[in-house]
Amino acid sequence: ILRFLDPDHKSHEGKKEEDPDYSYISTGFLSVILGIGTTWFIFFLRDFRHSSFFCNDGVRTSLHDFSVTLSVVAWTLVKELIFPHVETEGLKVPDEFEPTFACCDSSCKTFFPDDCEDQAEAAGTRSWLVDFGDLNGKGWAPIAAAGPAILAFALCYLDNGITWHLICHKSHNLKHGEAYNYDLCLNGFFNFVNGALGLPWLVATTVPCIIHLNALAEKDRDGNFLEVQETRLTLFFSHLMVGLSILVLNVLKLLPLPVLYGVFLFMGLSSLPNIQFWQRFLMFFQQPSKYNKTVYVEHMEKKRVHLYTVLQICFFALVFLVQNIKAVAIIFPLMTLLCIPARLFFLPRFFEGWELLLLDGEDERIEEWMEAKEQSVRMYEESKNLTNMEASSDDDDDDSN
């Protein structure tokens, strides 16, 4: 959102030539207000869920459940009614439902307008189905694409795997069984279909999945999951509405892009409290006696917990740096994949096995460790008491002698 304040942002390109009165500062500040305002208003509406306002729980629940929609509509109206003269970047929607690859000629081997700048309009668009046999004279393309394809597969697999395990965490009290392999097969099949149509690949978007889980969950005031309404209907109807959105393309064009960025910002911020990394990051700024009572806080030295967090920040910074440098961004999936051997072989050089278990182990194994520790302490106390009793008995014998 803050990048709208950058005069070199892509949303400002060519605007000054088209309109001499265009001000990137006005556009940038309004974009920031729209984005952050959308995020704030969503949280504001969601807070009514456990408040005492309004006449019944149904109204409060509705405000909570439809907070995103209400915020998007509200801040879109703010833009259209209060600041109609300030131009902001809108959602890029085509005029017709058709492939967006425009061709310079009927052969469709060149892209309009990049490959034919002197041409006034495109000759047409590509066909819906991709011709896998047409390599445009580049027979080496499939071989060259194999390397990036492996990286893309690794990214999809990791993204899906991370999402599955976060959603199916034991604390969520889900009743239906897991279907990791089945889900991965379906994911591969639909990605093949999307590839044949020249569409983006299907991946498990972690943050929306977590928000969907939270929307179906019943929680206590502390945020603990009581139960989850496990249904496929919400996913079916939400994706059905996404498909039907092609019927209202003109309405979608009215949505300011900063407002949608505000929704994405909300999605990220709302998931932070449940992320252990964020909880440990906040410990840098908290009074030690006020730390949350977690297993790693109770059994590990505080500096050891901070060291683990610092190493994670370094990993994150490295991945973020690679992702944002265009020259090397293609190896971003590889950097994500390298986090696995780093955890298996690099971190054990700094931490004991039981420390890593408490920091990122599975709940079942942590419970087993806790039980083993308690049993060990009990055995030590019993042994100590037995030794004291024997010593006391010896002392009594000496006194009697």
Side-chain angles (χ1 to χ4, degrees):
I1 294 176
L2 295 178
R3 289 180 178 177
F4 283 108
L5 297 174
D6 183 1
D8 297 326
H9 190 266
K10 61 180 181 180
S11 63
H12 305 309
E13 293 179 359
K15 298 296 184 180
K16 194 66 176 179
E17 291 75 10
E18 298 175 3
D19 182 7
D21 296 329
Y22 178 81
S23 171
Y24 82 89
I25 296 179
S26 299
T27 298
F29 271 111
L30 179 58
S31 299
V32 171
I33 292 173
L34 292 175
I36 297 179
T38 300
T39 304
W40 164 80
F41 197 49
I42 294 174
F43 280 111
F44 175 76
L45 293 176
R46 288 171 65 88
D47 285 342
F48 284 111
R49 179 67 182 87
H50 296 292
S51 72
S52 59
F53 293 94
F54 300 105
C55 57
N56 57 62
D57 190 60
V59 176
R60 292 189 290 269
T61 301
S62 297
L63 286 175
H64 176 274
D65 293 342
F66 294 97
S67 57
V68 174
T69 304
L70 292 174
S71 183
V72 169
V73 172
W75 285 96
T76 299
L77 291 176
V78 168
K79 162 64 182 70
E80 295 296 327
L81 300 180
I82 303 179
F83 302 99
H85 58 284
V86 180
E87 184 177 355
T88 57
E89 187 177 6
L91 184 63
K92 296 181 179 179
V93 180
D95 296 327
E96 299 180 9
F97 182 65
E98 61 181 1
T100 55
F101 188 96
C103 311
C104 293
D105 52 42
S106 58
S107 65
C108 208
K109 296 183 181 296
T110 51
F111 178 62
F112 175 86
D114 295 357
D115 298 330
C116 47
E117 297 180 355
D118 55 341
Q119 190 169 318
E121 59 182 15
T125 60
R126 69 166 179 84
S127 61
W128 275 103
L129 287 176
V130 174
D131 185 0
F132 289 102
D134 184 8
L135 301 178
N136 200 15
K138 302 175 182 178
W140 47 266
I143 300 176
I150 294 176
L151 295 178
F153 163 75
L155 182 61
C156 290
Y157 180 79
L158 289 174
D159 197 0
N160 289 352
I162 292 171
T163 304
W164 296 331
H165 286 85
L166 287 176
I167 296 300
C168 297
H169 195 269
K170 184 178 179 181
S171 62
H172 296 155
N173 298 323
L174 299 179
K175 305 301 181 184
H176 291 176
E178 302 166 349
Y180 298 143
N181 295 333
Y182 178 64
D183 188 82
L184 189 61
C185 288
L186 289 179
N187 187 245
F189 171 75
F190 284 112
N191 279 343
F192 175 79
V193 174
N194 285 11
L197 295 174
L199 299 176
W201 286 349
L202 174 69
V203 295
T205 48
T206 306
V207 174
C209 289
I210 293 177
I211 292 178
H212 177 251
L213 174 72
N214 289 328
L216 297 177
E218 289 291 336
K219 301 180 181 179
D220 58 20
R221 288 187 172 273
D222 296 327
N224 299 316
F225 281 73
L226 301 177
E227 64 174 347
V228 177
Q229 180 65 41
E230 300 179 52
T231 174
R232 295 184 177 92
L233 292 178
T234 52
L235 291 173
F236 173 77
F237 283 110
S238 63
H239 287 84
L240 178 63
M241 294 180 66
V242 170
L244 293 176
S245 65
I246 62 175
L247 302 177
V248 289
L249 295 180
N250 292 330
V251 176
L252 295 180
K253 291 180 180 180
L254 299 176
L255 295 177
L257 199 59
V259 170
L260 299 183
Y261 285 160
V263 175
F264 298 150
L265 178 60
F266 155 74
M267 293 166 65
L269 293 177
S270 63
S271 63
L272 282 179
N274 296 323
I275 299 177
Q276 188 201 100
F277 168 73
W278 177 250
Q279 297 171 358
R280 285 188 279 103
F281 175 76
L282 294 179
M283 289 171 58
F284 286 116
F285 314 100
Q286 295 175 342
Q287 181 179 335
S289 61
K290 300 295 183 180
Y291 288 165
N292 291 331
K293 300 302 181 182
T294 58
V295 289
Y296 51 84
V297 169
E298 293 180 351
H299 298 282
M300 290 180 59
E301 296 181 16
K302 306 303 181 290
K303 62 180 181 181
R304 303 287 289 171
V305 177
H306 291 325
L307 174 61
Y308 185 83
T309 306
V310 169
L311 291 176
Q312 276 192 311
I313 293 174
C314 294
F315 288 145
F316 170 77
L318 184 60
V319 173
F320 181 82
L321 185 65
V322 170
Q323 182 187 12
N324 286 273
I325 299 178
K326 292 184 178 180
V328 295
I330 194 173
I331 67 170
F332 162 69
L334 180 61
M335 297 302 300
T336 305
L337 186 63
L338 288 177
C339 290
I340 297 177
R343 166 60 179 86
L344 295 176
F345 305 108
F346 178 72
L347 290 182
R349 296 177 177 270
F350 297 89
F351 299 93
E352 299 292 337
W354 65 271
E355 292 178 317
L356 293 175
L357 173 64
L358 297 183
L359 287 165
D360 62 10
E362 298 179 355
D363 291 342
E364 292 81 2
R365 294 191 59 195
I366 294 177
E367 291 176 1
E368 292 175 359
W369 183 88
M370 293 288 292
E371 292 175 358
K373 181 178 177 61
E374 293 175 359
Q375 183 178 1
S376 177
V377 171
R378 284 197 303 269
M379 293 178 61
Y380 172 76
E381 293 294 338
E382 292 174 358
S383 176
K384 184 177 179 180
N385 292 336
L386 182 59
T387 302
N388 292 336
M389 291 176 60
E390 292 177 350
S392 177
S393 177
D394 292 340
D395 291 341
D396 293 341
D397 292 340
D398 293 338
D399 292 342
S400 62
N401 293 333

